[in-house]
């Protein structure tokens, strides 16, 4: 008597190791809780110089903890690793995880220099493992929708792309870790600037909307870098990118705004404009002859996409090659002259929740104007930008 065919065994949760459980690592812990509840993953280990306390691991079981990522992956049999550590450790830890047999979700920015980025990309190309760069905005279905609108000519001929980020950070933000607000730490590149780290999504999203994500897609970059805080890196900056296909992209951002606002990318066309608030997945289409149309989209989680890539061959949303143009911007910031200090007469200190913060006079309007007019701070007449030497980088 023959029985029914045996059902295929259901795969169990994928064992994952998290490198860097403090700071932004808390976001990944929350995401792991969500995926653990669905039976998708199991947190097998946490790699950090400071072990996580039990409260941080609520609903995540009792993962192994250690300071050596390679050893922890071997001990736990992890098949995926999330690397959420200081910028200057990204390349080495990601390649260590790959050597241990794990696919990697690597936080942005992927590396502090073009040389390290190329080493990362080459290392994964020959490893047989997959690497996803953690630009969560590029998992947004809104990005795909905006690209389709551009390609379909919804706003006419593309005239340029602007991006604006008015954020607020208190002084303690720059002392939260030894690498915070640094360009170099102990002789190693860090490049923790406003455009390369906290508002890196604005740069990467603008480039992606233009279809200019690869390293060779950038023709030239002009930078204007400033700092109101007593730090090495920039907290108020502007960059003009000219892509190989001829598009002008201007990204302006500050951590010294009078009021925090949702960052956005705006596509300027000959017959209209498209605004994408990329943290909200919200798109506003405005064009001649039509009423404004607004829509909110969903997004694909990048860790889930990485796991689906390994299990079912689904294409990666943000492989290293898709961040090459962004890394050209990082390199331009890294090799530019040191950021110029905004004179004290042009900023004021105001009380914050935990410490004071510095507000640059009029910077909110300047950031917005840069994105709207595709102009730099100096061109807009910012009083603290009049004598800044613009640093240009060309292909």
């Amino acid at each position: 008597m023959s029985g029914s065919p045996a059902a295929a065994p259901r795969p169990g949760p994928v064992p994952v190791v998290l490198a860097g459980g403090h700071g932004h690592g808390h976001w990944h812990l929350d995401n792991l809780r969500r995926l653990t509840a669905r039976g998708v993953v199991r947190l097998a280990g946490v790699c950090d110089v400071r072990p996580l306390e039990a409260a941080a691991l609520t609903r995540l079981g009792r993962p192994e903890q250690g300071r050596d990522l390679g050893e922890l992956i071997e001990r736990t049999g992890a098949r995926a690793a999330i690397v959420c550590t200081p910028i200057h450790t990204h390349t080495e830890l990601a390649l260590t995880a790959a050597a241990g047999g794990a696919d990697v979700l690597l936080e942005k920015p992927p590396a502090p220099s073009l040389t390290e980025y190329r080493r990362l990309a080459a290392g994964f190309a020959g490893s047989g493992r997959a690497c996803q760069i953690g630009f969560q905005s590029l998992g947004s279905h809104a990005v795909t929708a905006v690209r389709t609108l551009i390609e379909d000519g919804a706003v006419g001929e593309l005239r340029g792309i602007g991006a604006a980020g008015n954020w607020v950070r208190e002084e303690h933000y720059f002392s939260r870790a030894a690498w915070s607000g640094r360009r170099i730490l102990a002789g190693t590149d860090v490049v923790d600037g406003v455009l390369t780290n906290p508002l890196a999504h604005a740069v990467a999203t603008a480039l992606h909307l233009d279809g200019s994500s690869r390293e060779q897609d950038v023709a030239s970059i002009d930078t204007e870098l400033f700092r109101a805080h007593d730090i090495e890196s920039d907290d108020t900056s502007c960059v003009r990118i000219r892509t190989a296909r001829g598009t002008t992209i201007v990204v302006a951002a500050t951590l010294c705004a009078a009021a925090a606002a949702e960052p956005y990318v705006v596509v300027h066309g000959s017959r209209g404009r498209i605004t994408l608030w990329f943290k909200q997945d919200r798109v506003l289409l405005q064009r001649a002859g039509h009423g404004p149309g607004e829509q909110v989209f969903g997004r694909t989680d990048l860790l889930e996409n990485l796991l689906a890539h390994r299990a079912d061959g689904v294409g990666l949303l943000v492989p290293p090659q898709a961040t090459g143009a962004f890394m050209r911007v990082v390199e331009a910031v890294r090799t530019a002259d040191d950021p110029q200090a905004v004179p004290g007469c042009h900023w004021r200190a105001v009380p914050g929740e935990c410490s004071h913060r510095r507000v640059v006079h009029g910077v909110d309007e300047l950031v917005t104007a840069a994105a709207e007019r595709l102009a730099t701070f100096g061109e807009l007449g910012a009083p603290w930008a009049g004598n800044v030497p613009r640093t240009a980088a060309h292909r």
Side-chain angles (χ1 to χ4, degrees):
M1 180 176 176
S2 60
S4 299
R10 184 178 179 180
V14 176
V16 176
V17 162
L18 171 64
H22 298 280
H24 187 61
H26 291 166
W27 185 93
H28 288 286
L29 288 169
D30 286 340
N31 197 39
L32 287 165
R33 266 184 276 273
R34 179 182 67 86
L35 296 176
T36 296
R38 289 175 43 197
V40 176
V41 301
R42 172 177 61 85
L43 182 59
V46 177
C47 180
D48 206 303
V49 295
R50 291 186 292 131
L52 292 182
E53 297 181 357
L57 298 170
T58 300
R59 302 194 307 279
L60 289 170
R62 300 182 64 182
E64 301 284 339
Q65 299 204 52
R67 298 166 62 101
D68 186 319
L69 181 59
E71 186 275 333
L72 194 59
I73 290 173
E74 181 179 3
R75 174 158 40 110
T76 62
R79 302 207 308 272
I82 301 168
V83 176
C84 182
T85 57
I87 300 166
H88 56 291
T89 67
H90 281 185
T91 299
E92 198 61 46
L93 288 178
L95 293 177
T96 294
D103 297 316
V104 178
L105 173 59
L106 177 62
E107 260 302 337
K108 57 79 186 166
S113 70
L114 204 52
T115 297
E116 283 292 277
Y117 160 76
R118 289 169 177 166
R119 183 164 78 93
L120 173 79
F124 271 91
S127 72
R129 310 314 304 177
C131 182
Q132 177 104 282
I133 308 301
F135 281 108
Q136 292 292 339
S137 65
L138 301 187
S140 175
H141 305 163
V143 170
T144 303
V146 173
R147 288 189 65 173
T148 299
L149 287 170
I150 296 171
E151 291 164 3
D152 290 348
V155 291
E157 180 185 351
L158 180 62
R159 295 287 176 81
I161 299 174
N166 278 310
W167 275 10
V168 168
R169 290 295 183 268
E170 296 178 15
E171 291 179 351
H172 76 273
Y173 172 83
F174 300 103
S175 59
R176 71 193 190 281
W179 57 274
S180 301
R182 302 294 295 269
R183 283 167 70 82
I184 298 174
L185 180 64
T188 301
D189 290 315
V190 175
V191 199
D192 180 36
V194 62
L195 295 173
T196 56
N197 191 13
L199 279 155
H201 282 86
V203 179
T205 304
L207 286 162
H208 198 75
L209 291 181
D210 187 55
S212 299
S213 59
R214 302 169 302 165
E215 186 179 335
Q216 61 267 35
D217 291 335
V218 173
S220 66
I221 303 168
D222 297 326
T223 60
E224 290 185 3
L225 310 178
F226 303 91
R227 57 174 182 84
H229 289 87
D230 296 325
I231 56 176
E232 282 184 354
S233 62
D234 53 302
D235 57 32
T236 300
S237 292
C238 187
V239 62
R240 175 187 279 125
I241 307 160
R242 290 184 174 86
T243 68
R245 63 197 300 254
T247 305
T248 295
I249 299 174
V250 172
V251 184
T254 185
L255 301 179
C256 305
E262 282 293 331
Y264 65 89
V265 177
V266 56
V267 177
H268 299 280
S270 59
R271 296 196 305 273
R273 55 189 278 150
I274 309 165
T275 306
L276 165 61
W277 290 270
F278 53 83
K279 288 190 67 182
Q280 300 177 324
D281 306 313
R282 181 163 59 100
V283 175
L284 175 63
L285 172 62
Q286 299 166 289
R287 51 183 172 162
H290 298 76
E294 187 168 338
Q295 189 172 354
V296 177
F297 294 81
R299 67 168 58 190
T300 299
D301 178 72
L302 295 185
L303 179 56
E304 290 185 80
N305 175 248
L306 176 66
L307 299 178
H309 172 76
R310 177 55 61 190
D312 303 317
V314 173
L316 282 179
L317 289 171
V318 198
Q321 293 77 12
T323 64
F326 168 77
M327 283 305 308
R328 287 284 306 278
V329 176
V330 172
E331 185 72 0
V333 172
R334 185 186 75 85
T335 58
D337 294 337
D338 288 343
Q340 291 215 352
V342 176
C345 60
H346 292 299
W347 60 263
R348 67 185 186 277
V350 300
E353 292 184 6
C354 299
S355 59
H356 280 78
R357 60 186 182 90
R358 299 185 180 186
V359 176
V360 175
H361 305 324
V363 75
D364 305 56
E365 294 79 12
L366 280 164
V367 165
T368 300
E372 294 297 324
R373 296 169 55 182
L374 301 178
T376 67
F377 294 148
E379 292 167 345
L380 291 168
W384 35 267
N387 298 319
V388 66
R390 185 178 303 134
T391 304
H394 299 272
R395 187 169 56 187

